[in-house]
Amino acid sequence: MEDKNKTDETKQYDFYNMLTYAKLSKLILRDLESNNRKQTFFSKYTKDDVVKYLKNPEQNAKQLREISSYLYNASSHYKRLILYFARMLLFYYIVTPYRVDIEKVDKNKFKNQYKKILDLLDNMNLQHEFVKIVTTILKEDVFFGYEYSTKDSYFIQKMNPDFCQISSIEDGCFNFAFDFSYFKTNPEKLVQYGSEFEEKYRIYENDTKQRWQELDSKRTICIKMSDDVEFPVPFFVGVLESLYDIEDFKALKKAKTEIGNYKMLSLQIPFDEKTGDFLMDLDLAKEYYHQMGNVLPENIGLVLTPMDIKDFDFEKDKADKDNVSESIRDYYSSAGVSDLLFNSEKSSSNSLKLSIDNDSSIMFAVLRSLERWVNRKLKQESGTIKFKCLFLDITKYNQKEFYENCLKGSQASLPMKTM
């Protein structure tokens, strides 16, 4: 009888899990029927704000993150820079066993476990999910995510960074705590976020000291771009000020062009140099002035004066500099990337390749963090035969070179088949 009760409890538990996953496989991002919809907007920041916040980036981490997100949407130069790095990696991987006694391993168990891991990784759709993560960490430095999955569905929901903090390190990967006071102002989202959030929110309601609670590491992902700095700071924080310089020089160039299109005509009333008397009636001079003013285009001004008018020009460089182009070059130089990648008039294949190789090395470090998180997840899978995932150092720019190296390795009898 006791065994039967346990079986019934197990069935109820499994049913509850199935029901929970069914709800979570489709997460509501915006309730269109709700009248309490909150508007998402980006605050506008000035260049002076950026300079002020950069003086103390640790205390102004939130503001710098918001500025980075604002400029990502407002500046095409910044967005292209972020997407260049974010979409560089292709996230190709191989799966390999480790700590396996080849002589004692059961071939059927090995194949079944291998297929299980491949199906798991295929369901995770890493090429799609990881691009979103990398885009976020390039803008904000840290990505806080929560997994929602079924047997044939998987996605990672980005958490609001204002309510998340890195709390611990497990197997070389960051874990984070969530601020459950979030649901006081967003009660409608509690059910959408799932059972773990509901349970821990009840703990918070009973004890407000439990405001920050660490989420289950089996369901979370936390990747930091600059893992050598404890506090979050956008990776390209050094170029934010340069973006405003580009817009300033664009405005100056536009104003200069507009001013250059204006002309002014001067109508001088004739007068007797000896007596100083006007030789034309003032009313008649005004009549000619108005007649001419009525036929002149808008960009030509007209003035009526008894005095000579002279124009003065400030000294200019013989070769008029294009400050906009120069500011753009300075921007990419500050970012540490080659402007040859972004419609530069110059071309140098060798220097461009070296620049891309340098940029790729930065992203390979990010790839190692993502790889370590995936392998932590694979360690949690049941089975005596363990596998690990190895992400290959392949980008959009070195695919052909990587393939040729693998081919040469195969010709030299090196084990390159899976690669």
Side-chain angles (χ1 to χ4, degrees):
M1 186 70 177
E2 185 177 349
D3 293 339
K4 185 178 182 301
N5 291 335
K6 287 184 177 180
T7 303
D8 292 340
E9 290 177 2
T10 303
K11 288 181 178 179
Q12 290 179 358
Y13 179 77
D14 291 341
F15 175 76
Y16 175 77
N17 281 343
M18 289 174 62
L19 185 63
T20 302
Y21 280 129
K23 291 191 295 183
L24 297 182
S25 62
K26 180 181 179 182
L27 182 68
I28 304 298
L29 297 180
R30 177 175 293 182
D31 187 356
L32 301 179
E33 297 180 358
S34 174
N35 294 324
N36 298 322
R37 289 167 56 188
K38 296 178 175 61
Q39 298 295 325
T40 301
F41 65 93
F42 294 97
S43 301
K44 186 174 182 180
Y45 293 90
T46 65
K47 183 179 178 180
D48 292 336
D49 293 330
V50 176
V51 175
K52 180 177 67 175
Y53 297 143
L54 285 176
K55 291 179 180 179
N56 194 337
E58 183 173 3
Q59 289 189 356
N60 300 300
K62 178 181 178 180
Q63 289 86 345
L64 290 173
R65 182 178 66 244
E66 290 180 350
I67 291 173
S68 180
S69 296
Y70 161 70
L71 290 174
Y72 178 80
N73 291 277
S75 169
S76 60
H77 294 93
Y78 192 56
K79 189 167 191 174
R80 288 190 65 186
L81 179 66
I82 296 292
L83 293 180
Y84 160 66
F85 279 93
R87 296 178 179 177
M88 175 186 294
L89 298 174
L90 296 179
F91 304 106
Y92 293 158
Y93 60 85
I94 61 174
V95 175
T96 179
Y98 67 98
R99 295 178 184 175
V100 175
D101 189 340
I102 301 298
E103 297 180 355
K104 296 180 180 180
V105 69
D106 184 284
K107 290 184 178 180
N108 290 328
K109 287 184 178 180
F110 183 92
K111 289 180 180 179
N112 291 335
Q113 183 67 8
Y114 183 61
K115 183 179 183 301
K116 178 183 176 182
I117 297 300
L118 290 179
D119 290 341
L120 172 67
L121 294 175
D122 182 64
N123 185 50
M124 291 174 69
N125 197 4
L126 300 178
Q127 281 82 4
H128 178 253
E129 295 296 330
F130 280 180
V131 168
K132 296 189 295 184
I133 293 174
V134 173
T135 303
T136 298
I137 65 174
L138 286 166
K139 287 190 298 181
E140 304 177 4
D141 188 47
V142 187
F143 177 87
F144 301 99
Y146 195 83
E147 295 179 292
Y148 295 97
S149 63
T150 62
K151 289 183 179 180
D152 56 0
S153 176
Y154 179 93
F155 69 94
I156 298 174
Q157 171 65 23
K158 180 180 182 294
M159 307 295 289
N160 189 330
D162 292 340
F163 295 87
C164 298
Q165 285 186 7
I166 295 175
S167 55
S168 65
I169 297 179
E170 178 184 339
D171 196 10
C173 302
F174 290 117
N175 296 324
F176 67 92
F178 185 76
D179 181 1
F180 281 84
S181 65
Y182 171 77
F183 296 112
K184 278 195 167 183
T185 54
N186 301 275
E188 73 283 354
K189 291 190 176 182
L190 181 59
V191 178
Q192 300 171 9
Y193 273 50
S195 58
E196 181 181 1
F197 289 88
E198 292 180 89
E199 292 169 5
K200 292 184 175 179
Y201 182 67
R202 285 194 290 269
I203 295 174
Y204 164 67
E205 283 184 314
N206 295 327
D207 182 8
T208 55
K209 293 181 180 179
Q210 300 293 324
R211 173 183 168 186
W212 290 94
Q213 298 181 57
E214 187 170 284
L215 299 176
D216 185 2
S217 61
K218 294 181 179 179
R219 302 286 299 277
T220 60
I221 175 172
C222 180
I223 304 295
K224 194 174 188 301
M225 183 73 189
S226 304
D227 55 5
D228 57 332
V229 181
E230 294 182 0
F231 56 91
V233 54
F235 185 68
F236 292 109
V237 69
V239 305
L240 299 181
E241 188 178 350
S242 299
L243 289 168
Y244 286 89
D245 290 338
I246 295 175
E247 298 306 316
D248 289 343
F249 281 121
K250 281 184 178 180
L252 288 173
K253 184 176 181 179
K254 181 180 179 182
K256 179 181 176 181
T257 302
E258 289 178 350
I259 292 173
N261 290 329
Y262 280 97
K263 292 185 179 297
M264 185 177 71
L265 299 179
S266 172
L267 299 181
Q268 184 177 1
I269 303 175
F271 64 95
D272 191 326
E273 295 182 357
K274 294 182 179 180
T275 62
D277 297 330
F278 287 114
L279 301 179
M280 177 183 289
D281 183 66
L282 183 59
D283 292 334
L284 181 61
K286 286 182 179 180
E287 184 177 344
Y288 283 115
Y289 168 79
H290 290 301
Q291 287 179 359
M292 184 174 290
N294 291 332
V295 298
L296 288 177
E298 293 183 357
N299 62 331
I300 297 180
L302 185 64
V303 61
L304 181 64
T305 173
M307 299 164 285
D308 290 334
I309 296 181
K310 295 182 179 180
D311 60 318
F312 296 91
D313 294 327
F314 291 101
E315 186 178 354
K316 297 181 180 178
D317 295 336
K318 293 182 180 179
D320 193 12
K321 291 195 304 183
D322 187 351
N323 291 322
V324 175
S325 298
E326 186 174 333
S327 64
I328 293 175
R329 286 193 296 271
D330 291 343
Y331 161 70
Y332 287 119
S333 178
S334 300
V337 301
S338 173
D339 62 332
L340 300 174
L341 290 161
F342 305 95
N343 296 330
S344 173
E345 296 177 356
K346 302 177 182 178
S347 62
S348 174
S349 58
N350 187 46
S351 60
L352 180 60
K353 182 182 182 305
L354 292 174
S355 176
I356 294 176
D357 288 344
N358 182 55
D359 299 336
S360 300
S361 67
I362 296 173
M363 299 312 297
F364 290 152
V366 177
L367 196 61
R368 299 286 79 80
S369 297
L370 293 167
E371 179 183 83
R372 191 154 192 179
W373 174 79
V374 172
N375 286 325
R376 183 181 74 168
K377 190 173 183 65
L378 295 184
K379 287 179 183 178
Q380 298 165 352
E381 291 297 313
S382 60
T384 56
I385 304 173
K386 296 297 182 181
F387 290 86
K388 61 182 178 181
C389 178
L390 301 177
F391 283 92
L392 305 177
D393 290 345
I394 303 178
T395 69
K396 290 182 178 180
Y397 306 97
N398 73 345
Q399 275 183 285
K400 183 178 179 181
E401 182 182 354
F402 188 89
Y403 170 76
E404 290 174 350
N405 290 337
C406 289
L407 182 59
K408 292 177 181 177
S410 298
Q411 292 170 346
S413 300
L414 294 177
M416 311 294 292
K417 185 174 181 180
T418 53
M419 292 187 183

